Amino acid sequence: MKLKTICTFNSPLGPVSVVESEGALVEVLFGIPEKSEAKTGTSPLLQEAEKQLREYFDGVRTQFDLPLQPEGTEFQKKVWQALLSIPYGETRTYKEVAELVGNVNATRAVGGANNKNPLGIVVPCHRVIGANGKMVGYAGGVEFKEYLLQLEKSHKK
């Protein structure tokens, strides 16, 4: 089992926990996990992740520059990589993300991968919306998704 370290800080959305393992960010979670295999602590990487997330919430950071190592299936990783290509302040539909990963019929699977994204905010699954433009599903709740999209739209240059 890989050693993980977790650090929690306050954000406009309440507590946010960042988790690192072997020199890479593996999770960004809303709240404080009730159970975690990670030890509480800090590191230069976790400090940098907190700094960059605070800059994002302050509207001065539009991209993250952190080593990422999310755990998931190959398909999930492909979807998460595609999410990184969605520009700050813009949205894409699940179908458009399915097209980005090369399978126009994978809309539901893209939704499932989005739901399992362990690096919320940093890997911007909040930028994926329903075909009708509606806010659908988000790990932190639809109100968090709306907040993040509004934050980005208000700071987009």
Side-chain angles (χ1 to χ4, degrees):
M1 180 166 75
K2 294 178 184 176
L3 180 63
K4 293 181 179 180
T5 305
I6 186 170
C7 177
T8 302
F9 65 94
N10 287 320
S11 80
L13 297 174
V16 171
S17 298
V18 287
V19 182
E20 96 163 274
S21 179
E22 298 180 356
L25 200 61
V26 294
E27 291 180 278
V28 176
L29 308 164
F30 295 109
I32 303 168
E34 289 182 24
K35 292 183 181 177
S36 176
E37 59 193 47
K39 70 176 178 85
T40 301
T42 192
S43 69
L45 174 58
L46 292 176
Q47 290 171 348
E48 182 63 22
E50 178 181 346
K51 175 182 167 273
Q52 289 189 26
L53 282 159
R54 287 187 187 284
E55 291 170 348
Y56 170 83
F57 286 121
D58 289 342
V60 296
R61 177 171 290 277
T62 61
Q63 286 187 305
F64 294 94
D65 183 20
L66 299 163
L68 308 177
Q69 197 70 293
E71 296 174 8
T73 67
E74 286 309 309
F75 179 78
Q76 288 170 334
K77 290 177 183 178
K78 196 173 182 181
V79 169
W80 301 333
Q81 192 62 42
L83 298 178
L84 291 169
S85 73
I86 304 172
Y88 180 88
E90 295 185 20
T91 58
R92 298 291 183 270
T93 65
Y94 291 94
K95 182 178 180 182
E96 288 171 322
V97 175
E99 291 168 355
L100 283 173
V101 298
N103 187 346
V104 70
N105 297 318
T107 303
R108 278 186 181 271
V110 164
N114 228 33
N115 183 49
K116 299 286 187 213
N117 175 17
L119 293 165
I121 302 173
V122 175
V123 174
C125 55
H126 61 277
R127 296 181 189 152
V128 183
I129 60 173
N132 58 4
K134 294 236 174 171
M135 299 296 132
V136 290
Y138 190 65
V142 173
E143 62 280 356
F144 281 17
K145 185 174 194 164
E146 289 171 341
Y147 175 88
L148 295 171
L149 289 173
Q150 189 56 44
L151 172 82
E152 291 183 11
K153 285 186 173 127
S154 69
H155 290 100
K156 189 172 179 191
K157 294 175 173 84

